[in-house]
Every structure is written in structure tokens, then in C-alpha cells.
Amino acid sequence: MAHPTPVSPKAAALVDGFSLEMTGKDVPGLEEARDTIPQGTKINVTFLGNEDLEMRVTAAKAVKDMGFVPVPHISARRLESEAQLEEFLARLQEVGATEHVFAVGGDPADPAGPYPDSLSVIRSGLLQKYGAREVSIAGYPEGHPDIADDVLWRHLDEKALALAQQGLDAVVLTQFAFDTDPVIAWIEAVRERGIDAQIRIGTPGPAGIKRLINFARRFGVGANAMIVKKYGFSLTNLMGTAGPDRFVTDLADRLAEPSTSPGTGGGHGDVKLHFYTFGGLLATSQWAREFVAAQSSGALR
């Protein structure tokens, strides 16, 4: 199916090499979408409160077996003990799913065990012990509803330093965004701090508008009328669906412009996209394939 609008080469290049997100319950959806996802794509596997160890490991194994790269989440505040973390990592290692992991604080207000944040998991040395080579850490271009900005920046600095000291590669993976202005400003601020890791900007794949807004409000992401209009939908029409076409195109244009911030060397560094699959893995992977094909097939004249 042809993409309905022309796609610039720089926008197609930004989408190429995307990563995806799935839950432990999404293995049937991954099976459905497998032929539309490029082999070697990174697929993050969440660590939710309503999932258990078996479900998480089974999902990571399915990702690996289908020819993709599993990136299991390690949710610090959900871990009840060091032994539980080691059990999880050992099981993941058995199925070849520990080279790439995502260390994140997690949602619970109070830690279930000894890890109050992802930094404490990284500093434990256990990720490296069980074969991690690359660790993703969280970034928040529009802030966090429960964490002050200065704390977020301090932790980002400390996590990047801790990973470098352990000889581990870092990826900064962001909460999803609707507005390119704070995203570009945040990328430039990251680079000014001397963090040159790959940044993956999170954005929703195609999904129902009402669902997108509910997720945005839950995570403190800006969802006012001006921002969502820039993204490509209206708060007065909540019945339709929306995709990231406008956001991706605008972000690619902005990334192609020289950075004016001191300390960035005029560039934004290595930036890719991470899709939150609120509308399903198949809908997102089909959108990405059609978006890239619209440029490579000569849609632009």
C-alpha cells in the first residue's frame, strides 16, 4: 500500500532502524507482525506489574527466535531482592537475551526491594555479570510528573558515567513525545553535557486518538490543543486514529538543521526512533515499512 503523502529522504532515514516496544502478553501480536518487521530490529520487552518472570522470559525468547534483538526491561522498583534480579538475568541469559537491556526505575511509588532506581541496578554490576553489552537508560524530554528536572539530569549524568566506567555501551531511550520543540531542546542539552550515546526518541505508532491522550496524561506528556494539532490530530475529534507522520517529518527536518547550542559541535549526534505500539505491533510495523518505502520507491518527484 502506498504511503498517502510524499516522504523526504531524511525522514525515511530517521525511521529506518527503528525499535519497537511490546509487553509480555504480545507474543501473538509479534507473530502476526513478524514479516513486516526488518530482521535484527530491536524489540523492547516490558516489565509490568501484571506479568511474571515466565511471561517476560518467554516473550524475550520469542523475540530472539524470530530473528529480532530482545531488549528486556529491568524495572528496579519492582524487584523484591538481589536474588530475584539474578534469577531474572540468569533466565534471560539462558535464552540469549541479556546483551541488550533497558534499566528503568519503574512505576511503584515505593521500591519493593533494594533498588530504588535504575542507577542502583547499574551500579550493582549484575547486568555486566550476566552478559550485558549495551544498556538503555530513560530520558524525559518533557520531564517526569513525579521527578524534578534537576534530579532527572543528575541521574542521567550518573548513569551514563557508571556505564562508561563499566565499559558498557549506552542508549538513551525517551518517553514518547508529541512536540518536536522540547525534544530538540532536550537533545541539545544532552549533547552539551558530553553524553554522546545514541538517543532513541519515543513516539507512538498509529493508534486511537483517545488512547494516545490517555497515555500522554498518565505519563505527564504535554497533550494540550496546540501540541496535538502540531502532531496531527484535534482534541475535538477523539474518535479517529493518528500516526506519527507529521512528528517524524518535523523531527527529521529539525535534526538536519545545525545545532546552535554550545558544546554540541553543530550536530545532534546519533538519533533514531523508538515506537510505542499502543495501536498494536502490526499497525506500527506496517506504518514504518510504508513510510520508508514511500521515499525509496520514488514517491518524491
Side-chain angles (χ1 to χ4, degrees):
M1 184 172 73
H3 199 267
T5 57
V7 174
S8 71
K10 54 181 176 280
L14 179 61
V15 172
D16 198 30
F18 64 88
S19 54
L20 295 168
E21 186 136 323
M22 64 178 280
T23 72
K25 298 176 182 177
D26 283 340
V27 174
L30 181 63
E31 181 70 46
E32 179 187 31
R34 65 186 299 178
D35 292 336
T36 65
I37 304 172
Q39 288 286 286
T41 295
K42 289 181 177 178
I43 300 182
N44 286 38
V45 180
T46 58
F47 192 115
L48 302 178
N50 60 357
E51 300 167 352
D52 59 22
L53 181 146
E54 290 300 327
M55 188 178 294
R56 296 168 189 140
V57 173
T58 297
K61 183 178 186 300
V63 171
K64 178 82 170 180
D65 290 348
M66 291 185 207
F68 309 119
V69 176
V71 186
H73 290 200
I74 313 293
S75 183
R77 298 167 77 84
R78 294 193 186 279
L79 294 166
E80 297 177 1
S81 65
E82 181 179 302
Q84 186 184 43
L85 173 56
E86 291 217 51
E87 179 187 16
F88 184 43
L89 290 171
R91 291 292 307 282
L92 289 172
Q93 191 174 42
E94 288 174 5
V95 299
T98 54
E99 288 192 5
H100 305 264
V101 298
F102 178 35
V104 64
D107 294 335
D110 298 309
Y115 304 108
D117 49 42
S118 56
L119 181 60
S120 58
V121 171
I122 292 168
R123 285 177 171 166
S124 74
L126 293 175
L127 302 181
Q128 191 177 33
K129 175 182 175 181
Y130 285 92
R133 295 190 298 106
E134 179 186 89
V135 179
S136 297
I137 54 180
Y140 300 91
E142 296 189 44
H144 189 289
D146 301 317
I147 306 174
D149 285 351
D150 62 325
V151 175
L152 290 175
W153 283 117
R154 186 175 75 249
H155 275 225
L156 184 64
D157 289 338
E158 291 174 345
K159 285 183 282 190
L161 178 60
L163 292 173
Q165 290 173 338
Q166 293 180 39
L168 297 172
D169 292 333
V171 173
V172 184
L173 179 67
T174 81
Q175 181 53 269
F176 65 89
F178 287 146
D179 187 6
T180 52
D181 289 340
V183 169
I184 290 294
W186 179 85
I187 291 171
E188 293 180 348
V190 170
R191 298 311 188 204
E192 285 179 12
R193 302 176 89 86
I195 298 172
D196 60 1
Q198 181 183 78
I199 293 174
R200 286 190 173 269
I201 298 297
T203 194
I209 292 170
K210 189 176 292 186
R211 185 173 176 84
L212 291 177
I213 291 172
N214 287 340
F215 273 102
R217 288 174 176 157
R218 176 182 168 191
F219 292 107
V221 175
N224 64 47
M226 183 185 303
I227 290 173
V228 298
K229 185 176 181 182
K230 286 178 65 177
Y231 189 79
F233 60 86
S234 168
L235 292 177
T236 61
N237 177 19
L238 302 182
M239 302 307 295
T241 60
D245 304 60
R246 188 177 299 183
F247 175 84
V248 170
T249 300
D250 189 28
L251 181 62
D253 288 342
R254 297 288 299 277
L255 289 170
E257 298 171 357
S259 170
T260 57
S261 296
T264 63
H268 296 96
D270 183 7
V271 179
K272 288 292 185 182
L273 292 176
H274 177 77
F275 290 112
Y276 291 92
T277 56
F278 302 137
L281 286 158
L282 181 61
T284 300
S285 58
Q286 284 182 329
W287 176 91
R289 183 170 67 173
E290 292 161 9
F291 191 88
V292 173
Q295 185 273 321
S296 60
S297 65
L300 286 180
R301 295 286 186 227

